[in-house]
Amino acid sequence: MRIILGLSFCVLLMAAHPAVASPVGLWRAKDGGQIRVAACGKALCGFVATTVPRIDPQTGRPPVDKHNPDPARRTRPLVGIMILIGMNADGPGQWSGQLYNDDDGHIYAGHLKELGPRAIRIEGCSGALCGGEELTRIK
């Protein structure tokens, strides 16, 4: 009887904590921009898939990495830039690595967390200041 009760308890625990889907895929930020998360060896990485707006109103061209501290990289398009760098698993549904912030051209410590099969959260910290954003799955 104890074995049956133990097995029943394990089944209930697994049902209460459903498996979370892989974060590999295409995700939409609140501003409509899209990030593609992919496996990079044993780690995860993420690339800008689309920007909003798609055309920079100041230049009439696709947005570029204008805040990069390296002048040679300031004219490269934002689409295709790796923004999630070397995100290694550090717990169930969690990865840690680095984030490239195209708003200021700097790299920060960062985390990717699965919130469920349809949502992830990307967080970055600079010293004691932290911020993040939730993204929803497109595919």
Side-chain angles (χ1 to χ4, degrees), residues 31-102:
D31 71 357
Q34 298 176 5
I35 306 296
R36 181 169 306 282
V37 177
C40 294
K42 292 183 180 184
L44 293 177
C45 54
F47 304 88
V48 175
T50 63
T51 61
V52 173
R54 290 182 187 251
I55 300 297
D56 183 335
Q58 294 177 341
T59 65
R61 295 184 168 179
V64 295
D65 193 15
K66 63 186 174 187
H67 301 292
N68 195 302
D70 179 353
R73 294 183 174 193
R74 290 182 188 155
T75 59
R76 69 180 178 165
L78 282 179
V79 171
I81 288 179
M82 185 184 298
I83 59 168
L84 301 176
I85 306 162
M87 302 297 269
N88 291 297
D90 67 355
Q94 297 182 70
W95 290 261
S96 293
Q98 297 180 309
L99 301 174
Y100 176 70
N101 181 352
D102 61 82

